[in-house]
Amino acid sequence: LHERDDYNADSPWSVGPVRYIVGSLVAFGSIEACESFVASLMSKVVPSSLATGTFNSGLLTTMVGTSGRAVGDFFIAGMGFISIRNLLNLLVFPACGLLIFCITMVRMNYRDLEA
């Protein structure tokens, strides 16, 4: 592979620094808004036994979210070490597989989740 700064300049899929930064900010803001919405909904359906004490559902949700971000950061760094040029493909394909797995699990256990 030839190392050039303009290797994808003619591609319609290429983005410049400004579009990348704006897109990242929009994605981050959307994810944070969705996370707060889900946390608000969860607070309304959590049993009262989990809503008291130090290790309540809010703390557990925060810990799980932080752990998920840390694992995601390590995964992105690992994929970047494999190939920085193909980083997007190395992230999107496993994410699509994870999405399909999660949808399959929800569909298989939907009746149990309704209760």
Side-chain angles (χ1 to χ4, degrees), residues 31-81:
I31 290 169
E32 288 301 313
C34 185
E35 182 181 351
S36 62
F37 178 72
V38 169
S40 174
L41 284 176
M42 190 184 76
S43 71
K44 293 173 178 38
V45 298
V46 70
S48 60
S49 61
L50 292 176
T52 59
T54 304
F55 291 104
N56 57 22
S57 61
L59 176 67
L60 295 176
T61 302
T62 303
M63 291 173 65
V64 168
T66 302
S67 301
R69 285 187 188 93
V71 169
D73 289 343
F74 282 119
F75 182 74
I76 291 170
M79 294 298 112
F81 282 126

Side-chain angles (χ1 to χ4, degrees), residues 24 57 100:
S24 295
S57 61
I100 290 168

Side-chain angles (χ1 to χ4, degrees), residues 20-35 69:
Y20 179 80
I21 291 170
V22 170
S24 295
L25 290 174
V26 168
F28 178 76
S30 301
I31 290 169
E32 288 301 313
C34 185
E35 182 181 351
R69 285 187 188 93

